[in-house]
Amino acid sequence: MYRQLWLLLLPWIPWAYAEDSAMEEIATEKEAEESHRQDSVSLLTFILLLTLTILTIWLFKHRRARFLHETGLAMIYGLIVGVILRYGTPSSSGYDKPISCSQEQRAFTTILVNVSGKFFEYTLKGEIIPEKINNVEQNDMLRKVTFDPEVFFNILLPPIIFHAGYSLKKRHFFRNLGSILTYAFFGTALSCFIIGNLMYGVVKLMKLVGQLNGKFYYTDCLFFGAIISATDPVTVLAIFNDLRADVDLYALLFGESVLNDAVALVLSSSIVAYQPTAENMHTFDASAFFKSVGVFVGIFSGSFAMGVCTGVSTALVTKFTKLHCFPLLETALFFLLSWSTFLLAEACGFTGVVAVLFCGITQAHYSFNNLSSESRNRTKQLFEVLHFLAENFIFSYMGLALFTFQKHVFSPIFIVGAFVAIFVGRAAHIYPLSFFLNLGRRHKIGWNFQHMLMFSGLRGAMAFALSIRDTATYSHQMMFSTTLLIVFFTVWFIGGGTTPMLSWLNIRVGVDPDQDPEPTNDSFQVLHADGTGLNGRSRTKQESAWVFRLWYTFDHNYLKPMLTHSGPLLSTTLPSWCGLIARCFTSPQVYDNVEQLREDDADFILNDGDLTLTYGDTTITANGSSGSHTATTSLDGRRTKMSSDEALEHELAGGDYEISNRGTRLVFPLEENA
């Protein structure tokens, strides 16, 4: 009987199976459609945030309101939307009953589940705190607006960092290069270790009072010191650029913040690489320490070399091809090569932030001169727009993450200790380093500048991106939550207090960034025939460090002619046996043009054709060459003779000398460099 019943039902089984499969496909399609809708809503939310931020920024600029910066405004809007998404969205659970896997000792990143002969792949999204499991099940939208940290590193950070290097004010940057490098390297390392050791004491205090609910090692404290030592170049640039503060102050703050972001990133990677060989993995090990130092030097130098090489390659491509005839293709290639620098460095195990920063500086110094005028405007505007949108997107997301992030760990003791440690760490490297720097500077870093440097240690996009990149452990979750609050405080209160602080410290504002400060007794005065002040390009030459003067001479005589259409002929600067190299790297435009081409962006230091110094019967060029009775460089830029730098020091050992600058007679005393 059962056999007859089985034979009777057998023809209907395939139909029933097909119907079940069809229902599953319909359910899968509906789920995919719902997921697509939620993705669209989350992206629309950020676009509306950016739109509202832009309109409010216009209103603030129109009303000349400076009590709140645009980045702080973006964070406020993000907070509002985060509150709405966290507490105002309806419950919508797409989760089934949890399945217990108590026998497993670890979490798997990918799981294949066999359901009635069908295999389904599941991907790990992270650990969920038991008391918050219901919130996660009921708020799918919160997961949709929580971006993968790699989005920040691979998509949002590259245009921000590249724009910082591409728009660098080279004239004032190189004038203060030694001080900037000191603050960026020694200052960041010193700040990292001071903050790390202070926070280790705070962690010990938390453990003593029973406020520490997880593991928090000394290396974690150093890691926090590294990521929180990264000051924010975006915020510093925007605030001081809007206020048009003193150019040297702007160069010191912006230059330090740009470079110390790169140093902090490499330093954090070196701390992660610190792996002692002893049984206790968190004790001091000399071999592991020196290995970490080697990792720091290797990663930074490798990233630097990769960024420069990419910039040089772009310069050669734009020089020896006729892409300038097709500005759209030229701009597209420039954009892709610049962005690929970041990804190439990351793929090779280096740091993309360092690579793309120095790629931007190299592109601005060499490739920019080879671009057509249309591509120059396009590239500057393109990266400026991308930088603006990425910056405001990150700050909007910061406000959003305060309510949508599911792994916050807030500890009042750790937060207060972090603020104190940051203040001490900033003061401990600004004031002592400024003291030592002033011993060798002709133009001292005054107390008002030092106080402003101390006050302007804003934290922002880089600190946030470094902290959100790894939130898998208890210690890193606490560091992320604390970093978020620190960014809020520095952007809102320190950023908003920049204007009154500048006024209180008597620092000049409303200054043209292309002009020099007023001459003082320790600097020469340059006058036109009508008595008006020259813009001071010769002043930069006098103030530049001797190392940079040597570099500039090498760059102007060899690198610029090789990589651009400007500078002297290589046949006149290279030895005679390098004639083949000179012919290969000299562009046809130089031979076609009788007048020597001049680089448009060399506003930070003098070229040979700009200035001729006359002392007695000796004519001396701006790069330090001199010759008796014979001019080495004529006013049209054609080179006739080159002498050594020692001749300049010998001829100008004392006394006054004259400058003939395109028909203007200038007289000023020569002083010894301090």
Side-chain angles (χ1 to χ4, degrees):
M1 179 179 179
Y2 290 105
R3 183 177 181 182
Q4 293 176 352
L5 182 61
W6 171 255
L7 293 175
L8 182 64
L9 295 176
L10 186 61
W12 296 93
I13 292 178
W15 179 84
Y17 182 80
E19 184 178 5
D20 291 341
S21 299
M23 294 298 293
E24 289 180 1
E25 291 179 0
I26 293 174
T28 303
E29 290 177 359
K30 288 184 177 180
E31 185 177 351
E33 183 179 352
E34 179 66 18
S35 178
H36 173 71
R37 186 188 65 84
Q38 291 183 357
D39 289 338
S40 300
V41 171
S42 62
L43 292 177
L44 178 62
T45 300
F46 284 104
I47 291 178
L48 292 178
L49 273 176
L50 293 176
T51 303
L52 185 60
T53 301
I54 291 173
L55 291 176
T56 313
I57 291 172
W58 168 81
L59 181 62
F60 275 40
K61 290 183 179 293
H62 181 68
R63 298 294 182 182
R64 299 183 183 275
R66 298 190 183 276
F67 62 89
L68 182 63
H69 190 255
E70 60 193 48
T71 52
L73 189 64
M75 295 173 70
I76 291 177
Y77 286 145
L79 283 172
I80 295 174
V81 175
V83 171
I84 296 174
L85 292 176
R86 184 69 176 84
Y87 301 105
T89 54
S91 299
S92 60
S93 177
Y95 296 86
D96 297 323
K97 182 179 179 180
I99 301 175
S100 177
C101 298
S102 57
Q103 296 180 355
E104 299 295 337
Q105 299 297 324
R106 64 183 181 90
F108 296 93
T109 57
T110 303
I111 297 178
L112 292 177
V113 180
N114 185 353
V115 181
S116 301
K118 294 182 179 180
F119 291 90
F120 298 89
E121 181 182 0
Y122 294 86
T123 304
L124 176 68
K125 288 188 175 181
E127 182 182 1
I128 301 173
I129 302 175
E131 54 268 22
K132 293 185 178 181
I133 189 170
N134 293 327
N135 294 335
V136 175
E137 289 180 347
Q138 295 175 356
N139 292 278
D140 289 344
M141 180 59 72
L142 298 183
R143 283 190 174 274
K144 294 294 183 181
V145 296
T146 303
F147 285 90
D148 188 335
E150 295 304 317
V151 172
F152 292 97
F153 269 82
N154 296 330
I155 297 179
L156 297 178
L157 275 185
I160 293 176
I161 302 300
F162 181 86
H163 178 265
Y166 195 55
S167 62
L168 190 69
K169 296 290 184 181
K170 292 177 292 184
R171 176 185 180 187
H172 305 291
F173 177 84
F174 286 112
R175 173 187 299 174
N176 299 278
L177 182 61
S179 301
I180 290 172
L181 292 177
T182 302
Y183 287 134
F185 283 88
F186 291 101
T188 304
L190 185 62
S191 175
C192 167
F193 284 100
I194 290 176
I195 294 175
N197 284 277
L198 290 177
M199 293 311 299
Y200 187 63
V202 172
V203 169
K204 288 294 185 182
L205 177 62
M206 292 174 60
K207 186 177 182 180
L208 184 65
V209 299
Q211 295 295 319
L212 193 65
N213 299 323
K215 296 180 179 179
F216 212 121
Y217 300 107
Y218 178 67
T219 51
D220 295 326
C221 297
L222 289 179
F223 180 80
F224 178 73
I227 64 176
I228 208 63
S229 295
T231 56
D232 182 33
V234 176
T235 308
V236 173
L237 171 65
I239 292 175
F240 283 84
N241 192 48
D242 289 344
L243 297 177
R244 301 176 70 184
D246 186 279
V247 289
D248 285 325
L249 174 64
Y250 177 91
L252 287 172
L253 281 171
F254 180 60
E256 180 221 355
S257 59
V258 168
L259 290 179
N260 96 325
D261 272 3
V263 174
L265 178 58
V266 180
L267 194 60
S268 63
S269 301
S270 303
I271 294 173
V272 172
Y274 177 80
Q275 295 180 353
T277 56
E279 294 183 359
N280 188 352
M281 297 298 293
H282 298 276
T283 58
F284 178 78
D285 189 329
S287 61
F289 172 77
F290 287 110
K291 178 182 177 181
S292 296
V293 173
V295 169
F296 176 87
V297 175
I299 291 179
F300 196 94
S301 58
S303 304
F304 169 81
M306 187 166 292
V308 172
C309 288
T310 306
V312 168
S313 301
T314 307
L316 292 174
V317 170
T318 53
K319 177 181 180 180
F320 292 105
T321 62
K322 294 187 177 181
L323 279 172
H324 63 273
C325 299
F326 306 95
L328 179 61
L329 300 180
E330 188 179 36
T331 304
L333 181 65
F334 184 91
F335 172 79
L336 293 176
L337 290 177
S338 301
W339 200 308
S340 63
T341 304
F342 183 93
L343 301 176
L344 179 62
E346 291 289 335
C348 294
F350 296 109
T351 300
V353 170
V354 179
V356 79
L357 171 64
F358 287 100
C359 175
I361 296 175
T362 307
Q363 301 276 47
H365 192 56
Y366 298 114
S367 304
F368 184 83
N369 296 285
N370 301 332
L371 301 178
S372 61
S373 58
E374 188 174 352
S375 294
R376 293 181 185 181
N377 295 330
R378 281 181 175 178
T379 54
K380 280 189 172 295
Q381 293 172 359
L382 174 62
F383 282 103
E384 186 176 4
V385 170
L386 291 176
H387 153 265
F388 174 81
L389 293 177
E391 161 204 336
N392 283 278
F393 184 93
I394 290 179
F395 280 96
S396 298
Y397 185 79
M398 288 183 195
L400 200 68
L402 187 63
F403 291 97
T404 60
F405 187 70
Q406 299 291 319
K407 303 175 183 178
H408 280 305
V409 178
F410 293 104
S411 173
I413 298 178
F414 191 85
I415 293 171
V416 174
F419 275 101
V420 174
I422 289 171
F423 179 83
V424 174
R426 184 74 178 170
H429 89 259
I430 288 295
Y431 295 112
L433 291 181
S434 299
F435 171 78
F436 288 110
L437 287 171
N438 283 335
L439 297 178
R441 284 179 61 102
R442 290 183 56 199
H443 297 273
K444 311 299 182 184
I445 303 175
W447 283 107
N448 57 343
F449 276 26
Q450 295 181 39
H451 295 329
M452 198 66 211
L453 287 168
M454 169 67 194
F455 178 80
S456 300
L458 307 178
R459 268 65 176 181
M462 180 58 68
F464 173 78
L466 287 174
S467 62
I468 200 177
R469 197 173 192 181
D470 180 12
T471 56
T473 62
Y474 169 82
S475 59
H476 284 238
Q477 292 166 8
M478 184 183 295
M479 285 188 281
F480 170 71
S481 302
T482 305
T483 300
L484 205 57
L485 295 180
I486 291 173
V487 172
F488 286 168
F489 178 83
T490 56
V491 171
W492 284 342
F493 294 97
I494 296 182
T498 300
T499 303
M501 182 61 68
L502 287 172
S503 176
W504 185 65
L505 293 175
N506 295 321
I507 295 175
R508 300 186 312 156
V509 295
V511 180
D512 185 354
D514 293 327
Q515 290 184 353
D516 285 306
E518 293 295 328
T520 58
N521 292 333
D522 60 346
S523 65
F524 58 81
Q525 185 172 3
V526 183
L527 297 176
H528 281 293
D530 58 359
T532 59
L534 192 64
N535 64 359
R537 296 181 64 182
S538 56
R539 183 171 177 262
T540 307
K541 181 67 181 180
Q542 290 289 324
E543 295 176 356
S544 299
W546 65 271
V547 175
F548 179 69
R549 291 206 301 270
L550 293 178
W551 154 255
Y552 172 75
T553 302
F554 176 78
D555 176 64
H556 178 73
N557 292 337
Y558 304 106
L559 296 183
K560 271 294 183 69
M562 285 185 178
L563 302 177
T564 69
H565 302 300
S566 58
L569 291 174
L570 286 172
S571 57
T572 62
T573 58
L574 289 175
S576 57
W577 54 271
C578 295
L580 179 60
I581 297 177
R583 288 192 297 272
C584 291
F585 282 94
T586 302
S587 62
Q589 286 87 335
V590 175
Y591 290 114
D592 295 340
N593 192 359
V594 178
E595 294 286 338
Q596 192 69 55
L597 296 176
R598 294 275 312 280
E599 56 267 29
D600 295 334
D601 66 334
D603 59 344
F604 63 98
I605 200 163
L606 288 170
N607 292 328
D608 289 348
D610 294 332
L611 194 62
T612 301
L613 289 76
T614 303
Y615 179 77
D617 57 355
T618 303
T619 301
I620 305 162
T621 61
N623 70 344
S625 58
S626 64
S628 179
H629 304 284
T630 304
T632 63
T633 303
S634 59
L635 291 179
D636 63 358
R638 290 190 292 269
R639 181 182 300 275
T640 59
K641 186 178 180 181
M642 173 72 73
S643 301
S644 63
D645 287 336
E646 288 78 3
L648 175 64
E649 299 296 333
H650 175 74
E651 296 291 345
L652 301 182
D656 296 347
Y657 58 95
E658 300 180 351
I659 291 183
S660 297
N661 186 1
R662 299 179 181 175
T664 303
R665 183 180 180 86
L666 314 171
V667 180
F668 53 86
L670 180 72
E671 295 185 0
E672 295 292 334
N673 289 330

